[in-house]
């Protein structure tokens, strides 16, 4: 009886893992498609297959999707297809830079705080907990007012909201790992703090970082869209989904639906793709999630 129960639990776990793997691959395919679009959009424009996303058309405007303009044209005279594709490039540039900045800052701070402890640990905990309690979008909007528009400025505004997440995860892992025998042995042999952190701790405390990176990237896409919708993200006329949605808002009551539909679908699809990758990785990193 017990062996049958164990077999059923293993079967359920394998089925759930198989579904997670399938969904993760779906997310990888979606994300890779967006990456390819971001990489090759300038090439397609150079070949004459895409309109310049920042050039307004004198005629026609308000045109629905057609053979000449696959996603139609906007009220401002932009080609929506070109704006949507180049919006992918802008989104990935800001999101990758923002998550990379938060990782580069949060991981070392978490390792130092957890390993050294003491006043530094208490001070960083207080600072990170304070930042963590603030809503991410509200904090990003406030910072965007301070640093201004631009790819780097938008990335900085987004990254500060994610630093505490990397810090908390890495610090907690560091606190638990630093009491292991191999760490104590390295300390007894006279290894420096840098040697212990880089050689013995680093690879043991970053298991959850790839998961956090993808989930933060998905959230950053939404936050960047929110900044663009409020007119705080990238400079004017830059193809960016949130800004295009803002410009499309006034046209919706007049029946011009395509200017909002396609940027909105692109934003949602990229968020879904990154989220599926993150959730799939999470089940590999955390075996407890596979238990019934």
């Amino acid at each position: 009886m017990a062996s049958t129960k164990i077999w059923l639990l293993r079967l359920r776990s394998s089925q759930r893992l198989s579904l997670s793997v399938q969904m993760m691959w779906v997310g990888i395919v979606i994300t890779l498609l967006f990456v390819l679009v971001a990489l090759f959009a300038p090439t397609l424009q150079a070949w004459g297959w895409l309109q310049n996303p920042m050039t307004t058309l004198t005629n026609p405007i308000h045109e629905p999707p057609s053979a000449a303009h696959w996603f139609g044209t906007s009220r401002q005279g932009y080609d929506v297809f070109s704006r949507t594709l180049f919006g992918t490039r802008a989104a990935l540039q800001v999101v990758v830079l923002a998550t990379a900045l938060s990782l580069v800052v949060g991981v070392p701070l978490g390792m130092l705080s957890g390993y050294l402890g003491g006043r530094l640990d208490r001070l960083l905990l207080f600072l990170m907990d304070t930042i963590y309690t603030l809503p991410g979008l509200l904090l990003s909007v406030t910072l965007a007012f301070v640093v201004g528009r631009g790819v780097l400025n938008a990335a900085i505004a987004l990254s500060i909201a994610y630093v505490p997440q990397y810090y908390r995860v890495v610090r907690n892992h560091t606190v638990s790992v630093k009491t292991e025998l191999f760490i104590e042995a390295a300390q007894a042999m006279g290894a420096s703090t840098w040697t212990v952190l880089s050689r013995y701790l680093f690879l043991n405390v970053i298991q959850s970082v790839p998961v956090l990176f993808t989930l933060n990237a998905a959230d950053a896409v939404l936050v960047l869209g929110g900044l663009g919708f409020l007119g705080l993200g990238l400079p004017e006329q830059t193809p960016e989904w949130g800004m295009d949605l803002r410009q499309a808002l006034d046209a919706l009551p007049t029946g011009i639906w395509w200017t909002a539909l396609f940027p909105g679908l692109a934003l949602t699809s990229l968020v879904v793709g990154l989220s599926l990758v993150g959730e799939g990785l999470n089940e590999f990193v955390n075996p407890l999630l596979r238990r019934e």
Side-chain angles (χ1 to χ4, degrees):
M1 188 70 179
S3 61
T4 303
K5 186 176 181 180
I6 293 174
W7 181 82
L8 288 174
L9 288 175
R10 289 178 177 175
L11 178 62
R12 291 178 182 176
S13 178
S14 64
Q15 289 175 341
R16 183 173 177 179
L17 180 59
S18 176
L19 178 60
S20 298
V21 171
Q22 293 173 11
M23 298 306 292
M24 184 178 69
W25 277 110
V26 171
I28 290 174
V29 170
I30 293 173
T31 304
L32 284 178
L33 286 175
F34 278 98
V35 172
L36 291 175
V37 167
L39 290 175
F40 291 103
T43 304
L44 295 177
Q45 181 190 345
W47 290 350
W49 294 358
L50 282 179
Q51 299 279 349
N52 187 326
M54 293 188 287
T55 300
T56 57
L57 306 171
T58 57
N59 186 45
I61 61 174
H62 292 180
E63 182 186 0
S66 63
H69 302 281
W70 290 0
F71 290 177
T73 58
S74 69
R75 187 176 181 181
Q76 292 75 26
Y78 294 120
D79 179 74
V80 179
F81 181 68
S82 179
R83 297 276 299 183
T84 302
L85 265 59
F86 273 87
T88 302
R89 187 177 181 85
L92 289 180
Q93 283 178 337
V94 174
V95 167
V96 170
L97 186 57
T99 47
L101 285 173
S102 57
L103 185 152
V104 168
V105 174
V107 170
L109 286 180
M111 292 177 62
L112 281 172
S113 179
Y115 181 72
L116 298 178
R119 292 183 178 179
L120 176 65
D121 184 43
R122 292 193 294 271
L123 176 62
L124 287 175
L125 269 176
F126 174 77
L127 177 62
M128 295 299 171
D129 286 345
T130 302
I131 297 175
Y132 190 73
T133 57
L134 300 173
L137 179 59
L138 178 60
L139 179 60
S140 298
V141 168
T142 304
L143 293 171
F145 271 115
V146 175
V147 300
R149 294 181 174 184
V151 171
L152 180 59
N153 291 343
I156 292 173
L158 290 172
S159 64
I160 294 177
Y162 299 125
V163 168
Q165 299 183 34
Y166 290 98
Y167 167 83
R168 288 158 63 98
V169 169
V170 172
R171 177 199 174 272
N172 292 339
H173 279 296
T174 302
V175 169
S176 62
V177 172
K178 74 176 184 178
T179 57
E180 297 289 338
L181 292 178
F182 67 94
I183 299 294
E184 295 180 355
Q187 293 170 338
M189 293 175 64
S192 64
T193 299
W194 168 253
T195 301
V196 174
L197 291 176
S198 60
R199 182 174 298 180
Y200 300 105
L201 269 174
F202 180 71
L203 293 178
N204 289 282
V205 300
I206 61 167
Q207 295 93 337
S208 299
V209 168
V211 178
L212 200 55
F213 187 90
T214 53
L215 294 178
N216 281 345
D219 184 71
V221 174
L222 289 174
V223 176
L224 178 63
L227 290 179
F229 191 82
L230 295 173
L232 298 173
L234 302 182
E236 290 286 351
Q237 296 185 340
T238 302
E240 195 273 312
W241 296 329
M243 189 179 302
D244 289 347
L245 288 172
R246 180 192 183 190
Q247 293 175 347
L249 188 62
D250 294 335
L252 282 175
T254 61
I256 304 174
W257 50 268
W258 53 89
T259 55
L261 175 64
F262 296 110
L265 283 177
L267 189 152
T268 304
S269 299
L270 181 55
V271 170
V272 169
L274 290 169
S275 299
L276 289 176
V277 175
E279 292 298 333
L281 288 175
N282 200 22
E283 292 219 13
F284 282 104
V285 172
N286 189 357
L288 294 175
L289 296 177
R290 300 198 294 268
R291 296 180 182 177
E292 295 293 331

